[in-house]
Amino acid sequence: MKLTTLSVLLAIAAAHASKINPLHIKRQATSSTATSATVAASSASSSSSTSAASSSTTGTSTGTATGSTTAVAVPASATWGTSFPPLSQISSGMPSEVTQPVTTTYSPGTSPTYFSGADPLPTAFVFNVADWPAQDKLPDTSSSEVQEWMKELDGWDIPDLSPTVDGTCVSDPTNVANASARGWWTCGGYTRDTDITVCPGKPMTWGTSFDDGPAFYTTKLLHFLNEQNIKATFFDVGSRCIENPAVLIDEYMSGHEIAVHTWSHPHLTTLTTAQIVAELGWTRKAIKTILGVTPTTMRPPYGDIDDRVRAISLAMGMVPIIWTRTPAGVSFDTFDWEIPGGVVTSEASFTQFEAILGNASTLDDGFIVLEHDLYEQTVDMAIGYTLPAALSHNPPFTLEPIGQCNGIPYTNMYVESNLNTSFPIANGTSDGGIDTDGDGTGDAKSKNGTSSATSSSNGAPPRHVSYSIFAAITLATLAAVVGAL
């Protein structure tokens, strides 16, 4: 890839060097406000980029707000129907507004209209505390569901890698020294060809996504995306799905891609194999129960993935998606998640994003950026600043969900409508199917009548096979490729 000087990005990365892999603000089950204690692990400083952002922005905000008339980098002619505050008011202490209703209420039995072969929505979800693990806590691995999901790993070569200390680099020098061999993205940005990290061959394309919902202010984001006809990928947390099922349904029925983002948002490399299975399995079950579909993609929280986490994810039928990271080690992270805790200002976050856009315009591939819909502040940054900046860029960026920008049809984003029996990677229970609900029976199969998760004798996930090969490769060829590694 061709890259211009990344001075602004490197400056912000340097501010985070003491932790290397930034820690997200701890997720709250019932509140969208983070306390300063939850970001104590972060040592970022953003004062220099803050002043740069406030002095370089142009144009006038068209959002509804009171008080400040801070200018933003959005053309004065642009009109965005959903209101947002001036950039300087998006902060940890900003007053909360009333949440918006979902864009549409959908009845059970309604089917999506944007792709063929979609199953109708199942019976309306009713939460029963006895049916689910405690929210935002690691699920019990001794449950019958987890024990059944563990069988999906049978026949797979799961690397025997010890868990990391805390998922960060500063606390774990031993594993940092071995980061390349274990494919640890957190410390060194190591990826495998099974990871999706860009929009290949699609320059000026932003694979748009949001993490950690569905949340209280996700509805505000959905209204904006609908107004602008933008589709995105939502990496949803299981604990939030059972908390906000109507919002999850609104995401899916509006044409956005749904993917797995774990049950309680832990650093996956710190967990045992059974704990990783539980985190992915319960989230997959929540989405299946509410939507009737089983995602074939996932994103590890904090991007914390290594070869063991990859193998488990692939064995469970989910391809990992991370965000773009340059060869210089700078990730396309807006750090919007640090605004609610007061660690980074909105101006610094937007300066980071402007630098991302500036460098993304020189890339040979499209790019993926980390943003969030968990907090009001992160949603306001998206609808008022980052998304409009991309749309008004000259030339404008094309915004697409990540599956689409990778040439993956909507049908293949879900097991039930998947027409490709080798995507993500064939595997599953003996009766042919993914055991979504953990009852011992494979119950998620592809539309062509065969399982999209047939058992594999060789078991080992390919560590050097690109998605383009996934799309056409046969199982016999896959076995031969893996055997040659």
Side-chain angles (χ1 to χ4, degrees), residues 442-459:
D443 49 14
K445 299 181 180 181
S446 63
K447 282 293 184 181
N448 62 5
T450 61
S451 170
S452 60
T454 343
S455 294
S456 172
S457 58
N458 68 82

PDB file of all heavy atoms in Angstrom, residues 442-459:
ATOM      1  N   GLY A 442     -27.689 -29.913  15.797  1.00  0.00           N
ATOM      2  CA  GLY A 442     -27.332 -28.890  14.820  1.00  0.00           C
ATOM      3  C   GLY A 442     -28.587 -28.296  14.227  1.00  0.00           C
ATOM      4  O   GLY A 442     -29.406 -29.003  13.646  1.00  0.00           O
ATOM      5  N   ASP A 443     -28.773 -26.988  14.340  1.00  0.00           N
ATOM      6  CA  ASP A 443     -30.051 -26.403  13.940  1.00  0.00           C
ATOM      7  C   ASP A 443     -29.910 -25.188  13.035  1.00  0.00           C
ATOM      8  O   ASP A 443     -30.857 -24.435  12.857  1.00  0.00           O
ATOM      9  CB  ASP A 443     -30.877 -26.004  15.171  1.00  0.00           C
ATOM     10  CG  ASP A 443     -30.091 -25.202  16.196  1.00  0.00           C
ATOM     11  OD1 ASP A 443     -28.994 -24.725  15.858  1.00  0.00           O
ATOM     12  OD2 ASP A 443     -30.565 -25.077  17.324  1.00  0.00           O
ATOM     13  N   ALA A 444     -28.745 -24.959  12.480  1.00  0.00           N
ATOM     14  CA  ALA A 444     -28.576 -23.841  11.558  1.00  0.00           C
ATOM     15  C   ALA A 444     -27.881 -24.353  10.303  1.00  0.00           C
ATOM     16  O   ALA A 444     -26.723 -24.721  10.333  1.00  0.00           O
ATOM     17  CB  ALA A 444     -27.746 -22.726  12.193  1.00  0.00           C
ATOM     18  N   LYS A 445     -28.638 -24.406   9.193  1.00  0.00           N
ATOM     19  CA  LYS A 445     -28.108 -24.940   7.946  1.00  0.00           C
ATOM     20  C   LYS A 445     -28.306 -23.947   6.819  1.00  0.00           C
ATOM     21  O   LYS A 445     -29.131 -23.049   6.888  1.00  0.00           O
ATOM     22  CB  LYS A 445     -28.815 -26.253   7.602  1.00  0.00           C
ATOM     23  CG  LYS A 445     -28.625 -27.353   8.647  1.00  0.00           C
ATOM     24  CD  LYS A 445     -29.318 -28.630   8.235  1.00  0.00           C
ATOM     25  CE  LYS A 445     -29.114 -29.712   9.277  1.00  0.00           C
ATOM     26  NZ  LYS A 445     -29.754 -30.979   8.888  1.00  0.00           N
ATOM     27  N   SER A 446     -27.538 -24.113   5.764  1.00  0.00           N
ATOM     28  CA  SER A 446     -27.623 -23.194   4.644  1.00  0.00           C
ATOM     29  C   SER A 446     -28.837 -23.480   3.778  1.00  0.00           C
ATOM     30  O   SER A 446     -29.434 -24.546   3.842  1.00  0.00           O
ATOM     31  CB  SER A 446     -26.353 -23.273   3.790  1.00  0.00           C
ATOM     32  OG  SER A 446     -26.220 -24.554   3.222  1.00  0.00           O
ATOM     33  N   LYS A 447     -29.203 -22.516   2.945  1.00  0.00           N
ATOM     34  CA  LYS A 447     -30.429 -22.578   2.165  1.00  0.00           C
ATOM     35  C   LYS A 447     -30.409 -23.615   1.048  1.00  0.00           C
ATOM     36  O   LYS A 447     -31.453 -23.982   0.543  1.00  0.00           O
ATOM     37  CB  LYS A 447     -30.721 -21.208   1.554  1.00  0.00           C
ATOM     38  CG  LYS A 447     -31.320 -20.223   2.540  1.00  0.00           C
ATOM     39  CD  LYS A 447     -32.710 -20.652   2.958  1.00  0.00           C
ATOM     40  CE  LYS A 447     -33.351 -19.629   3.864  1.00  0.00           C
ATOM     41  NZ  LYS A 447     -34.681 -20.030   4.299  1.00  0.00           N
ATOM     42  N   ASN A 448     -29.224 -24.078   0.659  1.00  0.00           N
ATOM     43  CA  ASN A 448     -29.191 -25.025  -0.458  1.00  0.00           C
ATOM     44  C   ASN A 448     -29.432 -26.464  -0.005  1.00  0.00           C
ATOM     45  O   ASN A 448     -29.262 -27.398  -0.776  1.00  0.00           O
ATOM     46  CB  ASN A 448     -27.854 -24.919  -1.206  1.00  0.00           C
ATOM     47  CG  ASN A 448     -26.667 -25.269  -0.333  1.00  0.00           C
ATOM     48  OD1 ASN A 448     -26.836 -25.678   0.809  1.00  0.00           O
ATOM     49  ND2 ASN A 448     -25.474 -25.104  -0.877  1.00  0.00           N
ATOM     50  N   GLY A 449     -29.844 -26.625   1.248  1.00  0.00           N
ATOM     51  CA  GLY A 449     -30.214 -27.938   1.740  1.00  0.00           C
ATOM     52  C   GLY A 449     -29.081 -28.702   2.373  1.00  0.00           C
ATOM     53  O   GLY A 449     -29.292 -29.736   2.976  1.00  0.00           O
ATOM     54  N   THR A 450     -27.849 -28.205   2.252  1.00  0.00           N
ATOM     55  CA  THR A 450     -26.726 -28.855   2.902  1.00  0.00           C
ATOM     56  C   THR A 450     -26.264 -27.990   4.054  1.00  0.00           C
ATOM     57  O   THR A 450     -26.540 -26.807   4.112  1.00  0.00           O
ATOM     58  CB  THR A 450     -25.549 -29.027   1.917  1.00  0.00           C
ATOM     59  OG1 THR A 450     -25.125 -27.737   1.471  1.00  0.00           O
ATOM     60  CG2 THR A 450     -25.959 -29.870   0.737  1.00  0.00           C
ATOM     61  N   SER A 451     -25.558 -28.610   4.964  1.00  0.00           N
ATOM     62  CA  SER A 451     -25.096 -27.833   6.100  1.00  0.00           C
ATOM     63  C   SER A 451     -24.007 -26.875   5.678  1.00  0.00           C
ATOM     64  O   SER A 451     -23.139 -27.198   4.888  1.00  0.00           O
ATOM     65  CB  SER A 451     -24.554 -28.775   7.184  1.00  0.00           C
ATOM     66  OG  SER A 451     -23.902 -28.043   8.189  1.00  0.00           O
ATOM     67  N   SER A 452     -24.056 -25.659   6.222  1.00  0.00           N
ATOM     68  CA  SER A 452     -22.963 -24.731   5.993  1.00  0.00           C
ATOM     69  C   SER A 452     -21.867 -24.983   7.006  1.00  0.00           C
ATOM     70  O   SER A 452     -20.928 -24.228   7.108  1.00  0.00           O
ATOM     71  CB  SER A 452     -23.459 -23.295   6.107  1.00  0.00           C
ATOM     72  OG  SER A 452     -23.985 -23.090   7.395  1.00  0.00           O
ATOM     73  N   ALA A 453     -22.016 -26.032   7.780  1.00  0.00           N
ATOM     74  CA  ALA A 453     -21.034 -26.354   8.814  1.00  0.00           C
ATOM     75  C   ALA A 453     -20.832 -27.858   8.900  1.00  0.00           C
ATOM     76  O   ALA A 453     -21.068 -28.487   9.895  1.00  0.00           O
ATOM     77  CB  ALA A 453     -21.495 -25.814  10.157  1.00  0.00           C
ATOM     78  N   THR A 454     -20.417 -28.461   7.801  1.00  0.00           N
ATOM     79  CA  THR A 454     -20.205 -29.898   7.769  1.00  0.00           C
ATOM     80  C   THR A 454     -18.929 -30.252   8.510  1.00  0.00           C
ATOM     81  O   THR A 454     -18.017 -29.465   8.557  1.00  0.00           O
ATOM     82  CB  THR A 454     -20.054 -30.375   6.330  1.00  0.00           C
ATOM     83  OG1 THR A 454     -20.551 -29.382   5.476  1.00  0.00           O
ATOM     84  CG2 THR A 454     -20.822 -31.640   6.087  1.00  0.00           C
ATOM     85  N   SER A 455     -18.876 -31.467   9.065  1.00  0.00           N
ATOM     86  CA  SER A 455     -17.695 -31.850   9.825  1.00  0.00           C
ATOM     87  C   SER A 455     -16.471 -31.907   8.925  1.00  0.00           C
ATOM     88  O   SER A 455     -16.543 -32.287   7.765  1.00  0.00           O
ATOM     89  CB  SER A 455     -17.913 -33.221  10.482  1.00  0.00           C
ATOM     90  OG  SER A 455     -18.917 -33.138  11.458  1.00  0.00           O
ATOM     91  N   SER A 456     -15.335 -31.532   9.474  1.00  0.00           N
ATOM     92  CA  SER A 456     -14.078 -31.525   8.734  1.00  0.00           C
ATOM     93  C   SER A 456     -13.094 -32.453   9.414  1.00  0.00           C
ATOM     94  O   SER A 456     -12.864 -32.345  10.607  1.00  0.00           O
ATOM     95  CB  SER A 456     -13.507 -30.102   8.680  1.00  0.00           C
ATOM     96  OG  SER A 456     -12.224 -30.101   8.148  1.00  0.00           O
ATOM     97  N   SER A 457     -12.523 -33.375   8.658  1.00  0.00           N
ATOM     98  CA  SER A 457     -11.623 -34.348   9.269  1.00  0.00           C
ATOM     99  C   SER A 457     -10.264 -33.749   9.577  1.00  0.00           C
ATOM    100  O   SER A 457      -9.633 -34.093  10.557  1.00  0.00           O
ATOM    101  CB  SER A 457     -11.442 -35.547   8.337  1.00  0.00           C
ATOM    102  OG  SER A 457     -10.930 -35.133   7.086  1.00  0.00           O
ATOM    103  N   ASN A 458      -9.809 -32.817   8.731  1.00  0.00           N
ATOM    104  CA  ASN A 458      -8.486 -32.254   8.965  1.00  0.00           C
ATOM    105  C   ASN A 458      -8.495 -31.256  10.094  1.00  0.00           C
ATOM    106  O   ASN A 458      -7.533 -31.123  10.820  1.00  0.00           O
ATOM    107  CB  ASN A 458      -7.954 -31.594   7.695  1.00  0.00           C
ATOM    108  CG  ASN A 458      -8.743 -30.356   7.337  1.00  0.00           C
ATOM    109  OD1 ASN A 458      -8.503 -29.299   7.886  1.00  0.00           O
ATOM    110  ND2 ASN A 458      -9.707 -30.468   6.426  1.00  0.00           N
ATOM    111  N   GLY A 459      -9.605 -30.522  10.238  1.00  0.00           N
ATOM    112  CA  GLY A 459      -9.811 -29.687  11.396  1.00  0.00           C
ATOM    113  C   GLY A 459      -9.076 -28.379  11.429  1.00  0.00           C
ATOM    114  O   GLY A 459      -9.613 -27.403  11.886  1.00  0.00           O
TER     115      GLY A 459
END
